[in-house]
Amino acid sequence: MARSRLIPVFVLAAAIGLVGFVSVAASQYNDVGSLSSLAGPARVTVSGDVVDLGGESLVMVYDGRTFLVDARGPYAIAEDPETGEAYALFLLRGDNGFIVAALYPAEEFVARYGSNPVVEAVIVVDGMYRPDSKVELGRLGPGGFEPLYEVPVLEVTAILKGCHSSYQQPQANTG
Amino acid sequence: MSQRVALALVVSALLALDTALLVYSVVRGPFPVTVPLGTPLAYRNIYIHVPIALSTYMLFAGAALAGLLSIIRGRVYSRYIDTFVALGVVYAAATLVTGSAWASESWGVAWNWDPKQTAVLMLFLAYLAYFPLKRSIADPERRERVAAAYATAAFALVPVSYLSSRIFQSLHPTTEAIAQYAESGPGGALLVARIAVVALLTLSLALARARGHGIPWALPALYALTGLAIGLGVFAGTVGTGADRVVDVDVDDEGRIRAVTLADGRRIEFERPLESPIRPAVTAEGVSTLVSHLVRPLDGEGLVLLYHWSTPLSYFIHITIITLAAALAVAGTRGGGEV
């Protein structure tokens, strides 16, 4: 008797659970690699592996201008020496190897995250993807500009950082 | 001693303990020494948000258990189901609000349809639908049976919510990450104590309501007034904005602060180096632990550490939902026993 009453409950639970699971799955972040199929500009929220840029000085060509790039490991600060315009630059790699240059206004970046931020291995960014706009990143060698990357641009409006690494930190307290 | 008196004593003790631990958490709770984004001090929200979130799961589990027993025994525990669902919905709303407020600082945005946020929102909406669904059925016997079945079935969203940050890519930490934090320092014992007290208090109040024992009205009134007064005292004048964020610190060899640069470009130099308000003063790499914190300079002679707004908000939300749960328990006296 109880079993006959329980069966519809379990069926309903399975249906609710399935709807919930599918809805939550649909809300997970797209990988940067998914941008490779986009032909035109689009507002996107994507996650990607942060490419280590090392610690050397690089050069970035973007929007017809040349920026001096101070690489700081997971990110870099790229500054146009003529206008003073500066961006925080991340190279984000997708699961399929597709890379984009995520550009975020440097002033806003420092104001929000400080001058020496902790950056996780994977970050999520929100912004406008512009496949027709390219960034060239490379070194200035004896023979001139040596390109390392030529990748499309993602103009970032917000960096959404996970907080996973926080929980592995030692603990601090107020005085 | 009657059950009613014993219950009132237990609830009184738990309310007092909850107040003490809550205040201690926001004033002296440990936090991670550095975080990817925002002020590390915002991580004191962990002692408020996590206990509320876990109590939400507990309340919906209580509703599902009562629903399941109703179906198996053929006797409806309507008062239990209603109480657990009503409190669960309130706690779920509080979980969403406290979590989003904290996310605005620690993730960079309050709401972005993160899988965890989506899952908790679905859980909230599913149980919110319980009451209109129940009211829509005219036949009393059928109404109770359908309500019990729905309260049981909706529990399927609890594991989806719990596992969402593990199965899907999410900015929200997994339970294991939080457990790792709990094991790694003095904040762990405080977190476990907060989870236990909030869960026990919530369960006591829910059972007092469901069983119709009730508690004296003075308890929620005293709890609310005490929590409000202490909260205003702790947080008045100590909430910062983005402009107050420390982006750079000049420290001497002993970690004392010679100058700080704030997000709005202000650079404040101190004639005599200051002891850092954070312990330890520097990280293992020698970087000042004051970076990313919100501060207010005091005429070049000192600094006041400021809270992100999410912490006072979470504090007052916690006071509100516990007061509400206690007020429901007071009202439970009039209900008079099981339905």
Side-chain angles (χ1 to χ4, degrees):
Chain A
M1 185 66 180
R3 182 183 293 180
S4 66
R5 287 196 299 260
L6 283 172
I7 289 172
V9 175
F10 287 136
V11 170
L12 181 61
I16 290 174
L18 185 65
V19 169
F21 186 85
V22 170
S23 304
V24 174
S27 78
Q28 70 177 326
Y29 305 107
N30 287 327
D31 183 75
V32 161
S34 66
L35 300 181
S36 62
S37 61
L38 291 181
R43 172 76 188 267
V44 295
T45 302
V46 288
S47 76
D49 295 331
V50 176
V51 176
D52 190 348
L53 296 170
E56 59 187 316
S57 295
L58 302 169
V59 172
M60 177 177 87
V61 179
Y62 168 56
D63 198 24
R65 291 177 293 159
T66 301
F67 292 72
L68 300 180
V69 178
D70 174 17
R72 303 174 181 179
Y75 74 100
I77 297 294
E79 183 174 2
D80 180 347
E82 291 184 11
T83 63
E85 185 178 340
Y87 294 98
L89 163 70
F90 292 85
L91 291 186
L92 301 180
R93 191 195 309 271
D95 291 339
N96 59 1
F98 184 72
I99 296 176
V100 298
L103 295 177
Y104 190 60
E107 190 177 352
E108 199 174 330
F109 178 76
V110 173
R112 282 205 65 109
Y113 313 126
S115 55
N116 191 20
V118 178
V119 177
E120 303 224 355
V122 177
I123 62 172
V124 177
V125 294
D126 183 67
M128 182 61 76
Y129 175 60
R130 299 190 185 281
D132 295 333
S133 184
K134 303 285 186 189
V135 153
E136 282 184 86
L137 187 66
R139 294 190 189 92
L140 269 185
F145 183 68
E146 299 171 0
L148 297 171
Y149 299 94
E150 183 177 354
V151 291
V153 169
L154 201 169
E155 295 171 356
V156 176
T157 50
I159 299 175
L160 315 178
K161 290 189 176 183
C163 47
H164 306 85
S165 66
S166 309
Y167 299 93
Q168 296 154 13
Q169 298 289 319
Q171 292 173 15
N173 212 329
T174 42
Chain B
M1 188 187 299
S2 71
Q3 274 192 351
R4 192 186 156 106
V5 173
L7 181 68
L9 287 174
V10 168
V11 168
S12 304
L14 287 171
L15 285 171
L17 196 55
D18 178 69
T19 305
L21 286 174
L22 177 66
V23 173
Y24 184 82
S25 298
V26 296
V27 174
R28 289 291 300 159
F31 45 83
V33 71
T34 56
V35 302
L37 177 57
T39 168
L41 205 59
Y43 279 69
R44 280 180 172 163
N45 283 318
I46 195 173
Y47 306 109
I48 305 175
H49 172 71
V50 173
I52 294 175
L54 292 180
S55 293
T56 304
Y57 291 152
M58 180 192 71
L59 287 164
F60 289 144
L65 182 64
L68 197 60
L69 287 174
S70 301
I71 296 161
I72 292 171
R73 294 181 178 174
R75 174 189 173 200
V76 176
Y77 296 90
S78 177
R79 199 174 168 84
Y80 285 87
I81 303 171
D82 286 355
T83 300
F84 283 123
V85 171
L87 283 178
V89 166
V90 171
Y91 275 55
T95 301
L96 285 170
V97 175
T98 57
S100 297
W102 185 9
S104 74
E105 179 71 354
S106 69
W107 295 356
V109 65
W111 188 269
N112 66 332
W113 296 102
D114 184 271
K116 184 64 123 184
Q117 290 178 316
T118 306
V120 177
L121 178 64
M122 291 196 67
L123 186 61
F124 166 72
L125 292 175
Y127 274 103
L128 188 65
Y130 167 86
F131 291 104
L133 173 74
K134 190 173 176 181
R135 271 199 294 273
S136 70
I137 301 170
D139 177 41
E141 192 179 334
R142 186 161 173 264
R143 178 173 60 219
E144 299 303 341
R145 278 192 284 116
V146 169
Y150 184 80
T152 306
F155 183 75
L157 289 173
V158 169
V160 173
S161 166
Y162 182 79
L163 296 172
S164 58
S165 56
R166 184 201 296 249
I167 298 173
F168 306 109
Q169 191 188 41
S170 170
L171 299 179
H172 195 281
T174 60
T175 310
E176 287 74 19
I178 296 171
Q180 188 179 4
Y181 175 79
E183 290 165 7
S184 67
L190 181 59
L191 180 59
V192 170
R194 284 281 303 142
I195 290 169
V197 168
V198 174
L200 277 174
L201 177 57
T202 301
L203 191 60
S204 304
L205 293 171
L207 290 176
R209 161 79 182 178
R211 296 174 73 89
H213 289 323
I215 57 171
W217 66 267
L219 291 181
L222 193 61
Y223 175 84
L225 288 174
T226 307
L228 197 64
I230 294 175
L232 289 174
V234 168
F235 296 115
T238 60
V239 178
T241 68
D244 303 316
R245 194 179 310 283
V246 175
V247 296
D248 202 11
V249 183
D250 181 7
V251 293
D252 64 17
D253 293 340
E254 295 170 12
R256 288 178 303 186
I257 299 163
R258 288 194 293 235
V260 297
T261 305
L262 302 185
D264 61 0
R266 280 179 292 164
R267 179 178 166 83
I268 297 107
E269 297 183 352
F270 302 101
E271 288 183 17
R272 285 181 301 174
L274 295 178
E275 291 295 334
S276 173
I278 309 293
R279 290 285 178 270
V282 292
T283 65
E285 294 78 29
V287 177
S288 170
T289 52
L290 190 62
V291 172
S292 295
H293 278 277
L294 302 171
V295 299
R296 180 175 300 133
L298 296 172
D299 296 329
E301 292 186 355
L303 292 169
V304 175
L305 209 57
L306 303 175
Y307 288 96
H308 181 252
W309 57 266
S310 58
T311 306
L313 178 72
S314 296
Y315 173 94
F316 288 114
I317 284 176
H318 178 88
I319 296 289
T320 303
I321 63 169
I322 295 291
T323 302
L324 191 63
L328 280 175
V330 172
T333 317
R334 299 185 194 111
E338 294 181 22
V339 172

